[in-house]
């Protein structure tokens, strides 16, 4: 049976994940740490809860509750990222290269978050400008809905929005709405139901 090879950026070939040395090292490490209990890890390292946290821009990350040896596991994950060419793949994503090999297209997550003046060129066109045209239309619609200017079929103000979706088409809106609830401007905002 032939082994497939994933082509990385700049012509660098990367072996499938199970064939990578760093992955094999992680599997070996996992066998050593899989039976560790958090109670023992915290007892052995009183500062674990402080050392294994990070905070920035209002986000708090606590990875102390993961049952692993922090230094060794993180070192092995970094080795896997390096062996996999993660840094070059991130660069390729920001450059708008077609790294989605299944659909043979660019992944444009970064364009959705890019400021208006940014430039990500795909097939000769700056997609950030296109993204912001759509984002502006979404903002206009949302503002008209909230203000009551956008009316329903009966000519009355829309009182509820019902999202019908499954899987990814449902999960994204649910997460976005929950994340934005703290930004709700007034009791006049329209409830969204799932």
């Amino acid at each position: 049976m032939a082994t497939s090879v994933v082509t990385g950026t700049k012509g660098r070939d990367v072996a499938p994940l199970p064939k990578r040395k760093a992955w094999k090292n992680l599997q070996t490490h996992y066998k050593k740490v899989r039976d560790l209990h958090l109670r023992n890890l915290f007892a052995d390292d009183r500062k674990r809860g402080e050392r294994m946290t990070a905070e920035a821009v209002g986000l708090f990350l606590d990875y102390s509750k993961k049952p692993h040896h922090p230094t060794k596991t993180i070192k092995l994950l970094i080795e896997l990222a390096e062996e996999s060419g993660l840094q070059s793949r991130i660069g390729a994503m920001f450059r708008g290269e077609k790294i989605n090999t299944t659909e043979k297209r660019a992944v444009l997550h970064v364009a959705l978050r890019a400021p208006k003046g940014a430039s990500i060129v795909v097939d000769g066109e700056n997609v950030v400008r296109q993204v912001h045209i759509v984002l502006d239309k979404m903002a206009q619609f949302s503002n008209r809905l909230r203000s009551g200017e956008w009316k329903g079929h009966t000519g009355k103000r829309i009182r509820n929005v019902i999202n019908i979706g499954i899987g990814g088409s449902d999960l994204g809106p649910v997460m976005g709405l929950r994340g934005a609830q703290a930004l709700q401007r007034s009791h006049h905002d329209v409830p969204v139901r799932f």
Side-chain angles (χ1 to χ4, degrees):
M1 182 168 143
T3 301
S4 62
V5 175
V6 177
T7 302
T9 57
K10 299 180 182 172
R12 182 176 156 224
D13 289 337
V14 180
L17 188 63
K19 302 287 184 189
R20 296 179 203 161
K21 180 182 176 193
W23 179 254
K24 291 176 183 177
N25 291 342
L26 265 169
Q27 286 181 311
T28 301
H29 175 66
Y30 169 73
K31 290 174 186 171
K32 293 177 186 174
V33 300
R34 69 178 163 201
D35 294 325
L36 292 177
H37 195 283
L38 277 176
R39 187 179 312 115
N40 296 336
L41 291 170
F42 274 94
D44 293 344
D45 180 0
R46 297 279 180 204
K47 298 227 179 235
R48 181 181 178 92
E50 296 169 32
R51 277 188 318 97
M52 298 180 68
T53 61
E55 187 170 3
V57 297
L59 297 175
F60 182 75
L61 171 66
D62 179 358
Y63 54 101
S64 67
K65 313 268 185 322
K66 291 292 181 189
H68 60 76
H69 184 278
T71 309
K72 181 69 174 174
T73 304
I74 291 171
K75 178 181 175 284
L76 290 170
L77 287 169
I78 290 170
E79 286 175 9
L80 179 61
E82 289 171 352
E83 185 179 350
S84 301
L86 180 62
Q87 195 64 42
S88 66
R89 303 299 285 172
I90 291 170
M93 178 177 63
F94 275 90
R95 289 188 300 274
E97 292 180 20
K98 295 180 180 178
I99 62 171
N100 178 333
T101 56
T102 305
E103 298 174 16
K104 296 177 179 50
R105 65 180 183 89
V107 295
L108 300 174
H109 307 83
V110 293
L112 291 173
R113 294 160 183 86
K116 275 190 178 181
S119 177
I120 299 174
V121 178
V122 176
D123 294 332
E125 190 164 350
N126 181 8
V127 294
V128 175
R129 189 176 88 59
Q130 295 171 354
V131 164
H132 279 278
I133 289 170
V134 173
L135 291 175
D136 289 345
K137 286 180 182 178
M138 290 169 62
Q140 289 169 5
F141 168 75
S142 299
N143 290 334
R144 289 179 66 203
L145 180 70
R146 283 190 191 105
S147 72
E149 179 185 344
W150 187 282
K151 307 288 186 205
H153 177 70
T154 62
K156 295 180 182 175
R157 180 185 186 126
I158 295 174
R159 295 185 319 207
N160 290 282
V161 173
I162 300 173
N163 177 66
I164 301 172
I166 59 169
S169 64
D170 182 56
L171 183 60
V174 170
M175 288 175 33
L177 181 70
R178 287 190 181 152
Q181 281 177 335
L183 303 174
Q184 190 172 11
R185 290 192 271 249
S186 72
H187 64 282
H188 296 295
D189 276 355
V190 179
V192 179
R193 314 233 186 262
F194 294 90

